[in-house]
């Protein structure tokens, strides 16, 4: 009976630890929130770190590629933040400049990645773009339905 209770206790402890570890992992993926409840934005360097880590996992970058991609991501993220924070620009101009930066990133990636890696990255980007456009279409339809 004592052995049975130890097994049950051990199983419950394992279950508790796995649930707790999972909740911590999920919490890390959420946006950070300050004491006032506002979302804390990532710095350009943090954005570059996250993007480069994702690419490294998906594309198995070499050390040199990792360093080059990180430098590109950091540069683009800094410039993108400057565009977003520029209050003198209209939304349309910000979108055009952001699009130009994304095209620049693509060209710079092309010079660092192998053709296979670049294709894989580009396919991934296209899927993300399609999902985003689908979400925007859905929001627009919802807006149109509520305004009628």
């Amino acid at each position: 009976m004592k052995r049975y209770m130890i097994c049950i206790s051990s199983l419950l402890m394992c279950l508790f630890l796995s649930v707790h570890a999972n909740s911590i992992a999920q919490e890390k993926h959420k946006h950070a929130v300050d004491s006032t409840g506002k979302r804390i934005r990532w710095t350009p360097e943090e954005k570059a770190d996250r993007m480069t880590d994702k690419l490294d996992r998906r594309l198995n970058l070499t050390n040199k590629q990792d360093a080059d991609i990180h430098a590109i991501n950091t540069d683009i993220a800094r410039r993108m933040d400057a565009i977003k924070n520029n209050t003198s620009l209209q939304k349309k101009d910000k979108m055009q400049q952001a699009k130009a930066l994304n095209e620049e990133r693509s060209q710079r990636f092309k010079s660092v990645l192998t053709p296979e890696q670049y294709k894989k990255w580009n396919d991934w980007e296209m899927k993300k773009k399609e999902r985003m456009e689908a979400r925007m279409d859905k929001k627009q339809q919802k807006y149109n339905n509520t305004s009628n």
Side-chain angles (χ1 to χ4, degrees), residues 9 18 26 38 64 68 88 124:
S9 297
S18 67
Q26 287 178 353
K38 285 188 174 183
K64 169 105 173 75
D68 292 346
S88 67
W124 178 42

Side-chain angles (χ1 to χ4, degrees), residues 1 16 18 41 46 48 57 64 72 77 90 93 109 115 118-119 126 128 135 146:
M1 182 71 172
F16 171 75
S18 67
R41 302 267 181 216
E46 290 169 330
R57 284 192 309 272
K64 169 105 173 75
I72 293 168
Q90 293 181 351
D93 295 329
F109 275 11
Y118 182 79
K119 182 183 180 336
M126 289 299 118
K128 281 186 354 188
R135 282 196 312 263
T146 59

Side-chain angles (χ1 to χ4, degrees), residues 79-96:
R79 292 165 56 199
M80 195 73 79
D81 261 20
I83 291 169
K84 288 179 181 177
N85 295 327
N86 186 343
T87 56
S88 67
L89 289 175
Q90 293 181 351
K91 190 173 184 175
K92 181 180 175 184
D93 295 329
K94 287 182 181 186
M95 290 176 65
Q96 287 175 340

Side-chain angles (χ1 to χ4, degrees), residues 5 20 37 44 63 144:
M5 290 302 288
H20 182 68
N63 290 340
N144 290 340

Side-chain angles (χ1 to χ4, degrees), residues 38-74:
K38 285 188 174 183
R39 276 185 21 191
I40 298 172
R41 302 267 181 216
W42 287 305
T43 65
E45 291 75 17
E46 290 169 330
K47 290 176 189 175
D49 289 344
R50 290 175 53 88
M51 291 172 67
T52 305
D53 287 346
K54 270 186 189 176
L55 288 175
D56 189 24
R57 284 192 309 272
R58 288 178 180 255
L59 303 177
N60 299 319
L61 302 176
T62 65
N63 290 340
K64 169 105 173 75
Q65 286 176 319
D66 187 68
D68 292 346
I69 292 293
H70 189 270
I72 293 168
N73 282 334
T74 302

